Amino acid sequence: MEELNKNILIPITIASFIIGLFIYLGEKQRSPEYKTENIAQEQKAQASDILAMGCIDFKDAVNFVAQEKCIRGKIEKVFISASGTIFLDFCKDYKSCQFTAVIFKGDSSKFENIKELNGKTIELNGLIKTYKGQPEIIINDPKQIKIID
């Protein structure tokens, strides 16, 4: 009986060793790629988290409609319409621009020296909505605007 146990135990031990060796060598070969893949995925997740906390470029606002976000961009032109509505244009041609900011006449008195934003890079916080298919933020409080440069 003891002889039979030795005859079974030896091949099982050898088979286990061989399987373990294949697993070890396979992991060793795969490991750098696996680690690189995991690191890349973790970096993407961290970048995504930073993006969620920070500002997005005004061109990306269309991807965040109906969300409170911080938008960053350079004001190309501050335009005050005949009705007193103020538009902060982020593009030279507002008609084809991916984003705009609006201050309605009722809130315009809260914004002193609004024309000074011309040529400035700003961060703007608020709810992104659409008007005629274009994303915009309606500004009603000067605290929504932060001048970067």
Side-chain angles (χ1 to χ4, degrees):
M1 188 73 150
E2 198 173 307
E3 186 74 28
L4 183 62
N5 285 341
K6 282 185 180 178
N7 288 340
I8 293 174
L9 189 59
I10 292 173
I12 290 175
T13 304
I14 293 171
S16 296
F17 176 77
I18 292 171
I19 291 170
L21 185 62
F22 279 118
I23 290 171
Y24 171 77
L25 292 175
E27 286 297 317
K28 191 172 180 180
Q29 288 177 343
R30 199 172 355 162
S31 187
E33 293 169 4
Y34 177 75
K35 286 180 183 175
T36 303
E37 242 178 57
N38 278 351
I39 291 170
Q41 288 173 351
E42 287 173 17
Q43 287 173 341
K44 283 181 186 177
Q46 288 171 351
S48 181
D49 291 343
I50 290 168
L51 183 62
M53 295 183 320
C55 292
I56 60 171
D57 188 86
F58 75 92
K59 294 175 187 170
D60 296 324
V62 70
N63 300 317
F64 298 94
V65 172
Q67 295 181 42
E68 290 273 340
K69 284 291 180 187
C70 175
I71 302 292
R72 185 178 185 141
K74 182 179 178 182
I75 301 297
E76 293 293 331
K77 182 179 179 185
V78 176
F79 176 76
I80 303 173
S81 72
S83 68
T85 301
I86 302 168
F87 296 92
L88 303 181
D89 296 328
F90 288 77
C91 303
K92 292 183 193 273
D93 180 13
Y94 75 92
K95 291 179 183 178
S96 63
C97 196
Q98 299 94 327
F99 178 78
T100 194
V102 180
I103 303 169
F104 290 112
K105 183 179 179 177
D107 292 318
S108 64
S109 63
K110 300 176 191 175
F111 297 85
E112 297 178 17
N113 305 317
I114 195 72
K115 289 272 190 178
E116 289 180 6
L117 293 179
N118 274 319
K120 302 281 185 186
T121 299
I122 67 165
E123 291 179 350
L124 173 65
N125 290 287
L127 177 64
I128 301 172
K129 299 179 177 184
T130 57
Y131 178 73
K132 295 186 178 179
Q134 287 187 292
E136 68 176 16
I137 290 180
I138 297 171
I139 307 168
N140 51 31
D141 187 332
K143 293 177 186 170
Q144 288 178 264
I145 302 172
K146 178 181 174 185
I147 299 172
I148 303 303
D149 67 7

mmCIF file of all heavy atoms in Angstrom, residues 65-84:
data_model
loop_
_atom_site.group_PDB
_atom_site.id
_atom_site.type_symbol
_atom_site.label_atom_id
_atom_site.label_comp_id
_atom_site.label_asym_id
_atom_site.label_seq_id
_atom_site.Cartn_x
_atom_site.Cartn_y
_atom_site.Cartn_z
ATOM 1 N N VAL A 65 -23.783 68.925 -21.364
ATOM 2 C CA VAL A 65 -25.061 69.636 -21.284
ATOM 3 C C VAL A 65 -25.877 69.067 -20.128
ATOM 4 O O VAL A 65 -25.867 67.866 -19.873
ATOM 5 C CB VAL A 65 -25.822 69.539 -22.627
ATOM 6 C CG1 VAL A 65 -27.231 70.091 -22.499
ATOM 7 C CG2 VAL A 65 -25.057 70.263 -23.721
ATOM 8 N N ALA A 66 -26.552 69.960 -19.417
ATOM 9 C CA ALA A 66 -27.384 69.641 -18.254
ATOM 10 C C ALA A 66 -26.548 69.293 -17.019
ATOM 11 O O ALA A 66 -27.043 68.689 -16.085
ATOM 12 C CB ALA A 66 -28.385 68.530 -18.555
ATOM 13 N N GLN A 67 -25.274 69.686 -17.027
ATOM 14 C CA GLN A 67 -24.400 69.446 -15.880
ATOM 15 C C GLN A 67 -23.790 70.756 -15.415
ATOM 16 O O GLN A 67 -23.533 71.648 -16.209
ATOM 17 C CB GLN A 67 -23.267 68.485 -16.251
ATOM 18 C CG GLN A 67 -23.727 67.088 -16.604
ATOM 19 C CD GLN A 67 -22.544 66.199 -16.925
ATOM 20 O OE1 GLN A 67 -21.515 66.237 -16.258
ATOM 21 N NE2 GLN A 67 -22.690 65.384 -17.961
ATOM 22 N N GLU A 68 -23.561 70.849 -14.113
ATOM 23 C CA GLU A 68 -22.824 71.978 -13.542
ATOM 24 C C GLU A 68 -21.349 71.719 -13.823
ATOM 25 O O GLU A 68 -20.818 70.690 -13.438
ATOM 26 C CB GLU A 68 -23.047 72.062 -12.030
ATOM 27 C CG GLU A 68 -24.420 72.471 -11.631
ATOM 28 C CD GLU A 68 -24.614 73.979 -11.562
ATOM 29 O OE1 GLU A 68 -23.619 74.718 -11.459
ATOM 30 O OE2 GLU A 68 -25.766 74.416 -11.616
ATOM 31 N N LYS A 69 -20.709 72.649 -14.508
ATOM 32 C CA LYS A 69 -19.296 72.478 -14.847
ATOM 33 C C LYS A 69 -18.568 73.801 -14.778
ATOM 34 O O LYS A 69 -19.174 74.868 -14.803
ATOM 35 C CB LYS A 69 -19.131 71.914 -16.277
ATOM 36 C CG LYS A 69 -19.418 70.453 -16.403
ATOM 37 C CD LYS A 69 -18.362 69.631 -15.699
ATOM 38 C CE LYS A 69 -18.646 68.165 -15.812
ATOM 39 N NZ LYS A 69 -17.760 67.370 -15.011
ATOM 40 N N CYS A 70 -17.268 73.694 -14.750
ATOM 41 C CA CYS A 70 -16.381 74.840 -14.894
ATOM 42 C C CYS A 70 -15.848 74.804 -16.321
ATOM 43 O O CYS A 70 -15.326 73.786 -16.766
ATOM 44 C CB CYS A 70 -15.237 74.753 -13.890
ATOM 45 S SG CYS A 70 -14.003 76.054 -14.085
ATOM 46 N N ILE A 71 -16.020 75.899 -17.026
ATOM 47 C CA ILE A 71 -15.570 76.029 -18.411
ATOM 48 C C ILE A 71 -14.391 76.990 -18.435
ATOM 49 O O ILE A 71 -14.420 78.029 -17.764
ATOM 50 C CB ILE A 71 -16.706 76.608 -19.308
ATOM 51 C CG1 ILE A 71 -17.951 75.735 -19.248
ATOM 52 C CG2 ILE A 71 -16.228 76.824 -20.731
ATOM 53 C CD1 ILE A 71 -17.803 74.384 -19.869
ATOM 54 N N ARG A 72 -13.388 76.649 -19.217
ATOM 55 C CA ARG A 72 -12.208 77.518 -19.321
ATOM 56 C C ARG A 72 -11.995 77.901 -20.777
ATOM 57 O O ARG A 72 -12.106 77.070 -21.672
ATOM 58 C CB ARG A 72 -10.981 76.792 -18.794
ATOM 59 C CG ARG A 72 -9.761 77.680 -18.762
ATOM 60 C CD ARG A 72 -8.568 76.932 -18.191
ATOM 61 N NE ARG A 72 -7.479 77.858 -18.081
ATOM 62 C CZ ARG A 72 -6.622 77.896 -17.090
ATOM 63 N NH1 ARG A 72 -6.711 77.034 -16.117
ATOM 64 N NH2 ARG A 72 -5.655 78.779 -17.057
ATOM 65 N N GLY A 73 -11.688 79.168 -21.000
ATOM 66 C CA GLY A 73 -11.399 79.628 -22.346
ATOM 67 C C GLY A 73 -11.077 81.103 -22.376
ATOM 68 O O GLY A 73 -11.243 81.822 -21.389
ATOM 69 N N LYS A 74 -10.614 81.536 -23.530
ATOM 70 C CA LYS A 74 -10.248 82.941 -23.735
ATOM 71 C C LYS A 74 -11.439 83.684 -24.334
ATOM 72 O O LYS A 74 -12.028 83.228 -25.319
ATOM 73 C CB LYS A 74 -9.041 83.041 -24.663
ATOM 74 C CG LYS A 74 -8.558 84.448 -24.890
ATOM 75 C CD LYS A 74 -7.344 84.470 -25.785
ATOM 76 C CE LYS A 74 -6.909 85.900 -26.037
ATOM 77 N NZ LYS A 74 -5.759 85.942 -26.950
ATOM 78 N N ILE A 75 -11.752 84.820 -23.757
ATOM 79 C CA ILE A 75 -12.837 85.644 -24.278
ATOM 80 C C ILE A 75 -12.312 86.429 -25.474
ATOM 81 O O ILE A 75 -11.401 87.240 -25.357
ATOM 82 C CB ILE A 75 -13.376 86.621 -23.201
ATOM 83 C CG1 ILE A 75 -13.886 85.867 -21.987
ATOM 84 C CG2 ILE A 75 -14.460 87.531 -23.786
ATOM 85 C CD1 ILE A 75 -15.055 84.956 -22.249
ATOM 86 N N GLU A 76 -12.891 86.156 -26.630
ATOM 87 C CA GLU A 76 -12.513 86.864 -27.849
ATOM 88 C C GLU A 76 -13.223 88.219 -27.947
ATOM 89 O O GLU A 76 -12.670 89.169 -28.475
ATOM 90 C CB GLU A 76 -12.840 86.022 -29.085
ATOM 91 C CG GLU A 76 -12.004 84.759 -29.212
ATOM 92 C CD GLU A 76 -10.537 85.043 -29.485
ATOM 93 O OE1 GLU A 76 -10.193 86.075 -30.108
ATOM 94 O OE2 GLU A 76 -9.705 84.217 -29.067
ATOM 95 N N LYS A 77 -14.461 88.236 -27.398
ATOM 96 C CA LYS A 77 -15.220 89.479 -27.515
ATOM 97 C C LYS A 77 -16.323 89.510 -26.462
ATOM 98 O O LYS A 77 -17.020 88.525 -26.253
ATOM 99 C CB LYS A 77 -15.836 89.579 -28.909
ATOM 100 C CG LYS A 77 -16.609 90.848 -29.165
ATOM 101 C CD LYS A 77 -17.168 90.853 -30.581
ATOM 102 C CE LYS A 77 -17.971 92.110 -30.838
ATOM 103 N NZ LYS A 77 -18.609 92.065 -32.143
ATOM 104 N N VAL A 78 -16.472 90.662 -25.813
ATOM 105 C CA VAL A 78 -17.619 90.924 -24.954
ATOM 106 C C VAL A 78 -18.562 91.780 -25.780
ATOM 107 O O VAL A 78 -18.209 92.868 -26.220
ATOM 108 C CB VAL A 78 -17.217 91.655 -23.656
ATOM 109 C CG1 VAL A 78 -18.457 92.000 -22.833
ATOM 110 C CG2 VAL A 78 -16.235 90.823 -22.837
ATOM 111 N N PHE A 79 -19.770 91.268 -26.020
ATOM 112 C CA PHE A 79 -20.737 91.966 -26.867
ATOM 113 C C PHE A 79 -21.971 92.306 -26.035
ATOM 114 O O PHE A 79 -22.526 91.440 -25.372
ATOM 115 C CB PHE A 79 -21.141 91.103 -28.060
ATOM 116 C CG PHE A 79 -22.196 91.716 -28.918
ATOM 117 C CD1 PHE A 79 -21.882 92.743 -29.801
ATOM 118 C CD2 PHE A 79 -23.507 91.286 -28.840
ATOM 119 C CE1 PHE A 79 -22.861 93.323 -30.593
ATOM 120 C CE2 PHE A 79 -24.493 91.850 -29.628
ATOM 121 C CZ PHE A 79 -24.167 92.878 -30.510
ATOM 122 N N ILE A 80 -22.362 93.578 -26.096
ATOM 123 C CA ILE A 80 -23.576 94.016 -25.410
ATOM 124 C C ILE A 80 -24.605 94.362 -26.483
ATOM 125 O O ILE A 80 -24.392 95.261 -27.296
ATOM 126 C CB ILE A 80 -23.307 95.223 -24.496
ATOM 127 C CG1 ILE A 80 -22.209 94.863 -23.484
ATOM 128 C CG2 ILE A 80 -24.598 95.652 -23.790
ATOM 129 C CD1 ILE A 80 -21.734 96.021 -22.616
ATOM 130 N N SER A 81 -25.712 93.637 -26.480
ATOM 131 C CA SER A 81 -26.747 93.832 -27.503
ATOM 132 C C SER A 81 -27.542 95.104 -27.223
ATOM 133 O O SER A 81 -27.452 95.688 -26.139
ATOM 134 C CB SER A 81 -27.700 92.628 -27.536
ATOM 135 O OG SER A 81 -28.525 92.645 -26.391
ATOM 136 N N ALA A 82 -28.341 95.500 -28.188
ATOM 137 C CA ALA A 82 -29.180 96.688 -28.052
ATOM 138 C C ALA A 82 -30.161 96.544 -26.883
ATOM 139 O O ALA A 82 -30.521 97.538 -26.242
ATOM 140 C CB ALA A 82 -29.939 96.942 -29.352
ATOM 141 N N SER A 83 -30.551 95.310 -26.576
ATOM 142 C CA SER A 83 -31.489 95.075 -25.468
ATOM 143 C C SER A 83 -30.791 95.028 -24.107
ATOM 144 O O SER A 83 -31.453 94.938 -23.082
ATOM 145 C CB SER A 83 -32.256 93.770 -25.708
ATOM 146 O OG SER A 83 -31.370 92.672 -25.611
ATOM 147 N N GLY A 84 -29.462 95.086 -24.101
ATOM 148 C CA GLY A 84 -28.712 95.080 -22.849
ATOM 149 C C GLY A 84 -28.208 93.713 -22.417
ATOM 150 O O GLY A 84 -27.582 93.582 -21.362
#
